[in-house]
Amino acid sequence: MIVSYNFDYCLAEIYDDHVRVYINEGFTLAPEHISELNFVTKKHFENKPFVYLAVRINSYTINPMIYLESNKIQNLLGVAIISKDPKQKNQAKIEKAFTTKELEHFETLEEALDWKDEIINKHKD
């Protein structure tokens, strides 16, 4: 890990080619919250492709309109949702309809990291 940021609604861990985000329990994530993450990703990934890993260990709500904002991040290649909760798999299907980026659900962080590597490598070709 390069650095981490503690916002009032999440922990964001920055790595070389991805960001791992852990949203706080009970929070409702809305489009206006993406501005802080936008600042962080611009600072660390300017002109460099990256993948967003949503590690969903807490229960929280997402306004799917957030994807209208994340779609504007040119170097964001994809979003991985990581959760063993079967409801999150269904939630991922709904969220996928709102994004122009690649979006997949995984049960483990390891699976998501493998997928992230595939996307990054595909982008390099």
Side-chain angles (χ1 to χ4, degrees):
M1 179 174 48
I2 296 171
V3 67
S4 67
Y5 295 89
N6 255 315
F7 297 114
D8 63 339
Y9 64 94
C10 76
L11 168 66
E13 297 177 342
I14 307 298
Y15 292 82
D16 185 49
D17 57 3
H18 70 283
V19 57
R20 293 181 200 173
V21 178
Y22 304 80
I23 303 293
N24 296 339
E25 182 75 30
F27 196 79
T28 298
L29 191 62
E32 58 267 19
H33 297 111
I34 204 160
S35 62
E36 288 174 325
L37 287 175
N38 238 346
F39 169 77
V40 168
T41 56
K42 281 182 181 176
K43 179 177 177 178
H44 294 282
F45 301 112
E46 187 160 8
N47 300 319
K48 181 180 179 183
F50 74 100
V51 175
Y52 180 101
L53 276 60
V55 184
R56 296 188 178 171
I57 54 176
N58 294 318
S59 177
Y60 58 91
T61 306
I62 296 176
N63 177 338
M65 300 308 281
I66 198 164
Y67 288 105
L68 298 179
E69 292 302 313
S70 65
N71 287 339
K72 297 174 186 175
I73 304 171
Q74 297 293 320
N75 54 332
L76 173 63
L77 300 181
V79 176
I81 296 171
I82 303 136
S83 176
K84 292 185 187 282
D85 182 347
K87 290 183 277 184
Q88 288 297 327
K89 191 171 189 174
N90 290 329
Q91 181 66 29
K93 290 177 186 173
I94 294 168
E95 291 175 36
K96 199 171 194 169
F98 290 88
T99 185
T100 58
K101 309 294 182 177
E102 293 193 49
L103 185 144
E104 296 295 332
H105 171 267
F106 301 95
E107 290 194 3
T108 68
L109 179 60
E110 292 75 23
E111 292 172 320
L113 289 171
D114 288 344
W115 178 77
K116 180 261 313 169
D117 289 341
E118 287 176 26
I119 290 178
I120 297 287
N121 288 333
K122 188 169 41 173
H123 180 77
K124 290 178 183 176
D125 294 341

